[in-house]
Amino acid sequence: MIGKFKLISITALILLCTACSAPLTKTQLESAKTAGVVNNFPKEPTFNVIGTTVFNNEYASITDSSFHNKVTEIVTKRLESRGFNVTTFEQDDEDNKSKVDLLIKIIPREVYQIPGTYGFGVNQRSFLGKKASPIVYVALNISPYLHGESKGNAFYLQNLEQLTFDDLAESWDSLPTDKKEEIITTLNTKIESTINELLNNVGI
């Protein structure tokens, strides 16, 4: 189980790193009329159990692409609410920067010091057969580009929450309905709160 002190320490470090990038100013945003969104998140969230050694690791995914789409929709709606004409790009091509005034790249990351995490999903640690409580997590960078120029790549945030049950099934499809519903609700909430907070940090 992840201790509260460790979570506080990790959060403090992440906030310090995020503070290294300055948010976009009102003047900078007013110079842009069009915006683009590139979502580099996996199509499906992870569903992993990480064991004592690599031979004990179990890798799977939540077979539902709606979480990936939600990431894109949250950023797109925020930009539209700010008056931008928004385009979404399927591929993270270099020339995307020249197609819009403001480009927002959404980049999945690992949770600090928690192996088997990437972007979003469910993760459970196991040591010598004893499993810790599974967590739902979201971890990402947002990299803004204004008129083709990078405006910071240290906008990072992660968010974790322990689930109320103790054990994951071998796969998403074999998980009981009530546990699926808890994961879906928790993950959707974490995606929305984490991305919105990070967009605030970016200045959007």
Side-chain angles (χ1 to χ4, degrees):
M1 183 178 294
I2 299 173
K4 290 184 178 179
F5 179 76
K6 185 176 181 181
L7 284 175
I8 292 171
S9 299
I10 291 173
T11 302
L13 177 61
I14 298 308
L15 290 174
L16 179 61
C17 291
T18 302
C20 297
S21 290
L24 296 171
T25 66
K26 181 180 178 181
T27 301
Q28 287 175 318
L29 291 175
E30 287 177 345
S31 72
K33 302 300 180 185
T34 59
V37 177
V38 181
N39 181 0
N40 290 299
F41 265 61
K43 292 299 181 184
E44 297 176 344
T46 65
F47 189 84
N48 297 337
V49 176
I50 305 302
T52 308
T53 71
V54 294
F55 302 105
N56 305 118
N57 295 344
E58 300 173 11
Y59 297 103
S61 64
I62 296 174
T63 53
D64 186 346
S65 63
S66 67
F67 299 101
H68 174 91
N69 297 335
K70 184 177 182 70
V71 171
T72 305
E73 290 169 3
I74 292 170
V75 179
T76 299
K77 287 180 179 179
R78 174 68 73 93
L79 290 167
E80 289 175 342
S81 73
R82 299 292 188 265
F84 290 102
N85 183 10
V86 182
T87 300
T88 57
F89 298 106
E90 292 297 325
Q91 302 295 327
D92 189 3
D93 297 328
E94 184 66 24
D95 63 352
N96 288 340
K97 301 173 189 175
S98 63
K99 295 178 180 179
V100 291
D101 300 327
L102 175 65
L103 180 66
I104 301 296
K105 289 188 178 184
I106 313 168
I107 305 168
R109 296 298 187 198
E110 294 181 355
V111 175
Y112 185 68
Q113 292 187 340
I114 301 183
T117 56
Y118 187 66
F120 54 9
V122 183
N123 184 280
Q124 185 171 38
R125 300 294 303 275
S126 175
F127 184 73
L128 299 177
K130 185 176 182 180
K131 294 182 178 180
S133 297
I135 61 167
V136 164
Y137 72 90
V138 179
L140 73 151
N141 272 114
I142 287 182
S143 293
Y145 292 81
L146 185 64
H147 304 299
E149 295 184 359
S150 174
K151 295 301 176 182
N153 56 12
F155 293 105
Y156 174 86
L157 196 61
Q158 64 182 38
N159 210 330
L160 299 79
E161 184 170 330
Q162 289 183 349
L163 295 168
T164 61
F165 54 88
D166 293 330
D167 200 9
L168 294 176
E170 292 184 358
S171 69
W172 172 254
D173 291 336
S174 61
L175 200 66
T177 300
D178 59 332
K179 293 183 179 180
K180 281 186 178 180
E181 289 176 351
E182 181 178 344
I183 290 173
I184 290 169
T185 300
T186 305
L187 185 53
N188 274 321
T189 299
K190 289 300 175 186
I191 290 171
E192 187 160 1
S193 62
T194 306
I195 293 178
N196 279 322
E197 182 177 349
L198 194 51
L199 288 171
N200 291 339
N201 294 341
V202 175
I204 297 173

